[in-house]
Amino acid sequence: MGTSIVDGTVEEAVVKRKRGALTVYSPLTFRLNDGGSRTIKSAVVSGDVANHLQPGKSGRFYLFTALDLKGVHGARTADGAAYEFPGKNNAIIFIVLIVTNILWIGLRITVDDGVPLLGVALLGLGVVGFFLTRKTQAEAKAQFDRDRGTA
Amino acid sequence: MSRGEPRPLSSLARTTRILLIAQATIAGMAAIMTYAHGGPVPEDNALYALVVLVQFLLYIAGGIVFLIWVYRSTANAHAFGAEGMSAGPGLAVGWYFIPIANLWMPLTAMRETWKASVNPPNWEVERAPATMGLWWFFWITGNIAGIAAARLGWEEAAPETAGISYILSIASDLLTIPGALLLTGIVGAITRLQADRMNHQQRGIS
């Protein structure tokens, strides 16, 4: 959970699937400036950030992990900079999960005096998932903004 | 997250493995006793009650020690320099308690710890052994069978479910045995991988 930075060059960026603004790469491999390499399997990328992930492009790449979602939320290359956190939809899904299950639990308590265990479990998952996704989103934005003004 | 220094796990791993082997042994005893009785064991059977109590205490003690080991092994993986793992040490433990997510995220975190112990800078290219998936299968199915057996056992108003509860109870104990033994191997293997890496780092080999 959290963010990390890669300074290097995109070595391999295989598009696994593309839907709307979201692109999933598998694998996405960087050759690091220190000589090592870093590979991400199933990296989710959103919006213009994908334009910076062409093989051969060098610069600084901003990576995140939120629950089991991994990807690149920002890039600063010679072509400029781009930022977009791809996990925003997940936060919305968790809100829907929370609201739906509060209503379900409330209904069950009102109607038959019982508490649905599945509803409580899903509510718990929704709260934790929402919190962790929003926390990572805030970290990602702060991480990208810290480098503002640098190429 | 703060990386810190990797810490040796061998004594913690030894305790964890002893408790897991004890869990497997007592689960085997419970399964044999239940089967030998030919039906649900009555609550006033003192020997069986003792076995169930020991089983419960071992489950709690083993669980606590195992989770400490999970925390420390995940912290070590981060200390080796692995980046982008889906969980820090706290969350690697927390996944076991988060509803629904506890069906798959603890396995994901354990696989990542294995991979990061093998190749910290580029852990995603590594493959975790199949025994991890097998351990998780036995763990999940054993738990589901155990919970179902307990819930059916409580339904005193429906004695026709007693037979199913009896079968599920034996199944839960039998599934615990390979699950605990596989986990013993996994704990040992990750501990060895991390010890080797710490030795290499101390000698200045990356």
Side-chain angles (χ1 to χ4, degrees), chain A residues 1-2 4-6 37-42 65 67-68 70 117-118 120-122 124-125 128 132, chain B residues 83-88 91 95 98-101 104-105 112 115 121-127 151:
Chain A
M1 206 58 59
S4 57
I5 285 174
V6 162
S37 72
R38 170 113 182 248
T39 298
I40 311 167
K41 290 178 181 169
S42 291
T65 306
L67 296 168
D68 55 356
K70 292 176 183 177
L117 289 180
L118 180 62
V120 174
L122 289 170
L125 176 68
V128 172
L132 290 175
Chain B
E83 290 192 331
M85 291 173 69
S86 62
L91 194 55
W95 283 135
I98 298 170
I100 313 292
W104 82 96
M105 286 310 289
E112 290 182 359
K115 294 176 186 181
N122 202 14
W123 58 270
E124 282 214 51
V125 298
E126 301 297 331
R127 281 182 73 90
R151 293 203 65 160

Side-chain angles (χ1 to χ4, degrees), chain B residues 3-187:
Chain B
R3 294 214 162 156
E5 287 292 314
R7 296 162 68 190
L9 288 175
S10 51
S11 58
L12 184 61
R14 195 176 310 116
T15 310
T16 307
R17 297 178 74 194
I18 288 168
L19 287 168
L20 285 168
I21 290 167
Q23 270 185 32
T25 308
I26 200 83
M29 285 171 66
I32 291 167
M33 287 180 74
T34 311
Y35 179 74
H37 198 270
V41 184
E43 285 174 12
D44 59 358
N45 184 321
L47 183 59
Y48 186 72
L50 180 67
V51 167
V52 170
L53 176 68
V54 172
Q55 200 173 10
F56 174 73
L57 293 175
L58 279 172
Y59 186 80
I60 299 295
I64 291 169
V65 176
F66 169 69
L67 290 176
I68 295 170
W69 178 88
V70 167
Y71 184 95
R72 295 259 303 268
S73 61
T74 310
N76 281 351
H78 285 274
F80 293 142
E83 290 192 331
M85 291 173 69
S86 62
L91 194 55
V93 173
W95 283 135
Y96 287 86
F97 302 96
I98 298 170
I100 313 292
N102 58 11
L103 293 175
W104 82 96
M105 286 310 289
L107 174 63
T108 301
M110 184 76 96
R111 280 182 166 148
E112 290 182 359
T113 299
W114 176 292
K115 294 176 186 181
S117 303
V118 174
N119 179 8
N122 202 14
W123 58 270
E124 282 214 51
V125 298
E126 301 297 331
R127 281 182 73 90
T131 46
M132 287 201 166
L134 210 54
W135 156 61
W136 196 245
F137 168 77
F138 287 121
W139 165 257
I140 290 289
T141 51
N143 271 303
I144 290 171
I147 291 165
R151 293 203 65 160
L152 287 173
W154 294 334
E155 302 281 343
E156 288 181 28
E160 65 274 14
T161 61
I164 303 170
S165 170
Y166 162 72
I167 292 166
L168 286 172
S169 175
I170 293 177
S172 170
D173 286 330
L174 291 178
L175 288 162
T176 298
I177 299 169
L181 295 178
L182 284 167
L183 185 55
T184 304
I186 292 165
V187 166

Side-chain angles (χ1 to χ4, degrees), chain A:
Chain A
M1 206 58 59
T3 58
S4 57
I5 285 174
V6 162
D7 287 316
T9 304
V10 179
E11 192 171 69
E12 188 182 17
V14 179
V15 176
K16 189 177 172 188
R17 60 177 178 273
K18 196 167 166 49
R19 184 177 294 171
L22 279 182
T23 308
V24 178
Y25 295 90
S26 189
L28 176 62
T29 304
F30 297 96
R31 175 65 49 194
L32 308 184
N33 289 346
D34 66 7
S37 72
R38 170 113 182 248
T39 298
I40 311 167
K41 290 178 181 169
S42 291
V44 182
V45 180
S46 188
D48 290 341
V49 179
N51 297 331
H52 295 264
L53 295 177
Q54 311 296 326
K57 289 214 173 182
S58 296
R60 172 165 281 196
F61 302 92
Y62 301 82
L63 279 52
F64 76 95
T65 306
L67 296 168
D68 55 356
L69 188 71
K70 292 176 183 177
V72 182
H73 61 267
R76 292 184 196 277
T77 64
D79 297 342
Y83 171 87
E84 191 161 343
F85 184 74
K88 285 181 292 191
N89 287 345
N90 284 17
I92 295 167
I93 290 168
F94 285 126
I95 290 174
V96 171
L97 196 65
I98 290 167
V99 172
T100 310
N101 282 287
I102 286 173
L103 290 173
W104 183 26
I105 292 166
L107 187 72
R108 283 288 306 274
I109 289 172
T110 312
V111 173
D112 61 9
D113 232 10
V115 178
L117 289 180
L118 180 62
V120 174
L122 289 170
L123 178 62
L125 176 68
V127 169
V128 172
F130 178 74
F131 170 74
L132 290 175
T133 304
R134 288 303 297 264
K135 182 172 172 280
T136 306
Q137 187 174 356
E139 278 176 21
K141 186 80 178 85
Q143 180 205 44
F144 187 79
D145 287 346
R146 267 197 301 274
D147 283 347
R148 197 178 290 279
T150 61

